[in-house]
Amino acid sequence: MNMSYHSNIPKYYACKFFRTLSFWLPIMTLYPLSKGLNLAQVASLVVIQSLAQLIFEIPSGAIADFFGRKNTLIIAGVFRAVYMAVILFGFGYGAFLIGWMFYGIAEAFESGSDAAFVYDTLKECGRENDYQKVEGRGFSFTILGWGAGAFFGGFIIPHSYDLAVLLNIVAVLISCIINFTFKEPKRESKTASKNYISHMKIATSFVFKHKQLLWLTLLLGGMTGAMQLSHLFFQPYMLEAGLDIKYFGLIYVFFLGTTSLVSAYSHRVERFLGSKLSVVIIPTLLGLSLVLNGLLVNFVGIAFIFLNQFVFGFTRPVVLNVINKLVTSEKRATVISISGFLNGVIALFGPVFGYFGDLYSIEIALLLEGIVVLIMGTFFAIMIL
């Protein structure tokens, strides 16, 4: 047991908060529109981000295993700062494409690396059984960053869109400084391969040979990707349901608060339900919430978005806790990155659901996504069990 690594945990929480302190969250769509982009171009930015994340997802996990998690997180922070700077100081659609590409790369380098970093830190401290609790609290700080950014951004945005983005860059740079202060935890063994590409192949092969681990990574990536897609439709859905846009900021604070609270106490919920029921309940609740949103376009339907937020806060800490127990340290970041890879694959289907939303209605898009989640997620859960 080495308690000298203990300071990594509060630093991890602080890094999560500043990384997501998004003052421009209420204008993430309005900002590029104000710079001359149209809605189709804004939608394509998400595809560019997903493609970049797909390309770098698994290699970034192998880099983290091979060169260290701390260095990978530093690289991710730099890419995130560059992303914000490019869209602030660049001009036209091309600048936004480049910016969102850097955003996708940053997401890929963070995915898996941070979870593996925390688990190995706790292992050094003899506290690996606390992983789910720490991961849940870390995710709650992520949500708090979004919520605080959105709240204060509401006062900044009427004066200047650019100022909100500039303050975002400052917050990201603070998270980068925190990354430099981390102490790299030891791993169980150095990667046997001298080539990180070979290591990537070995770790990926390990997942496909370990069937339960494979289905867990598919469940995590599939459900996370589906939740991110559903969030694209919630704003137009709430407008159709009759909610005045002036209340959007307030209701998002409640959404994020729900997610943060559930994430922080996910270990207690999982302990009460048990691991098997916890795995089954994730796709069931998510799919039902989306189906009900599609069927009920009113204030009752908006209430079911809180169910979606419950699943959002519950999924990552619960599923990652099981995954981390099944994989050794030197493969951990690569294995977790595979779930991020599937997350990116799911995100590419966003325009398909969006097409049905344009052609018919936003309710049809949510209903179809809910049906897909129920079928896909239930299959994954059955295979895990």
Side-chain angles (χ1 to χ4, degrees):
M1 183 183 299
N2 190 341
M3 297 304 291
S4 65
Y5 292 92
H6 182 73
S7 64
N8 277 348
I9 303 305
K11 291 176 183 177
Y12 173 70
Y13 294 154
C15 187
K16 284 278 192 180
F17 177 80
F18 284 105
R19 184 191 300 168
T20 57
L21 188 58
S22 301
F23 298 100
W24 78 312
L25 186 61
I27 55 163
M28 285 194 73
T29 300
L30 297 178
Y31 186 74
L33 290 174
S34 73
K35 298 294 184 179
L37 276 67
N38 57 40
L39 280 173
Q41 290 172 324
V42 173
S44 71
L45 298 178
V46 180
V47 176
I48 292 298
Q49 175 208 330
S50 298
L51 287 173
Q53 188 168 347
L54 277 175
I55 293 169
F56 286 92
E57 188 66 62
I58 298 177
S60 68
I63 291 171
D65 285 333
F66 195 72
F67 295 108
R69 288 80 154 102
K70 173 182 175 179
N71 292 331
T72 308
L73 290 173
I74 291 172
I75 293 171
V78 171
F79 275 122
R80 189 175 286 274
V82 170
Y83 144 65
M84 298 300 301
V86 168
I87 65 172
L88 176 61
F89 299 110
F91 296 96
Y93 179 51
F96 279 89
L97 282 178
I98 295 170
W100 251 260
M101 179 187 69
F102 282 123
Y103 178 36
I105 297 172
E107 288 285 297
F109 271 80
E110 286 166 4
S111 172
S113 300
D114 54 356
F117 175 81
V118 169
Y119 192 85
D120 287 338
T121 292
L122 291 172
K123 193 155 190 158
E124 282 293 320
C125 298
R127 295 176 51 202
E128 57 264 42
N129 289 335
D130 290 337
Y131 171 77
Q132 187 176 342
K133 179 170 66 176
V134 171
E135 180 61 47
R137 288 179 178 172
F139 189 63
S140 71
F141 273 91
T142 295
I143 303 301
L144 286 172
W146 284 333
F151 177 78
F152 290 107
F155 297 101
I156 298 166
I157 290 163
H159 302 286
S160 172
Y161 282 12
D162 287 342
L163 179 59
V165 177
L166 180 61
L167 290 175
N168 255 53
I169 297 174
V170 173
V172 170
L173 290 176
I174 292 173
S175 73
C176 289
I177 294 171
I178 296 171
N179 285 338
F180 275 103
T181 68
F182 283 142
K183 183 175 181 180
E184 180 77 41
K186 297 175 184 176
R187 279 158 282 166
E188 293 171 4
S189 63
K190 282 287 184 181
T191 304
S193 172
K194 297 296 183 182
N195 188 307
Y196 88 89
I197 296 178
S198 298
H199 167 69
M200 181 176 64
K201 292 178 180 178
I202 292 169
T204 304
S205 175
F206 174 77
V207 173
F208 281 92
K209 290 178 181 178
H210 195 305
K211 297 303 179 185
Q212 189 180 36
L213 186 60
L214 172 63
W215 293 114
L216 281 164
T217 55
L218 290 175
L219 177 71
L220 178 60
M223 295 303 99
T224 304
M227 282 183 279
Q228 290 178 347
L229 283 184
S230 66
H231 292 167
L232 295 176
F233 304 122
F234 285 154
Q235 290 182 8
Y237 170 84
M238 289 189 294
L239 283 176
E240 285 195 25
L243 184 67
D244 196 307
I245 197 168
K246 66 183 180 182
Y247 297 117
F248 274 31
L250 181 61
I251 201 166
Y252 265 95
V253 170
F254 283 113
F255 285 162
L256 294 167
T258 300
T259 305
S260 177
L261 190 64
V262 171
S263 181
Y265 291 97
S266 62
H267 59 291
R268 295 186 181 181
V269 179
E270 190 267 346
R271 194 180 303 145
F272 175 76
L273 295 176
S275 297
K276 290 185 178 180
L277 184 56
S278 294
V279 168
V280 173
I281 208 172
I282 289 169
T284 303
L285 291 182
L286 178 60
L288 284 176
S289 70
L290 293 171
V291 169
L292 289 169
N293 283 143
L295 296 175
L296 301 170
V297 190
N298 50 36
F299 285 98
V300 176
I302 292 174
F304 285 108
I305 298 178
F306 284 95
L307 186 57
N308 184 291
Q309 297 302 115
F310 174 91
V311 181
F312 189 37
F314 187 68
T315 300
R316 179 177 167 88
V318 169
V319 180
L320 279 180
N321 184 52
V322 182
I323 289 176
N324 277 312
K325 292 178 179 178
L326 295 176
V327 65
T328 54
S329 176
E330 73 275 6
K331 297 184 182 73
R332 186 163 290 125
T334 309
V335 169
I336 297 171
S337 288
I338 292 173
S339 69
F341 180 84
L342 182 63
N343 185 348
V345 172
I346 297 296
L348 295 178
F349 287 92
V352 177
F353 292 114
Y355 170 77
F356 282 100
D358 288 333
L359 188 63
Y360 299 106
S361 68
I362 202 70
E363 305 95 85
I364 294 296
L366 286 165
L367 183 62
L368 286 175
E369 186 184 359
I371 293 171
V372 170
V373 166
L374 282 173
I375 295 172
M376 176 179 65
T378 302
F379 176 71
F380 290 163
I382 290 171
M383 296 305 295
I384 291 167
L385 297 177

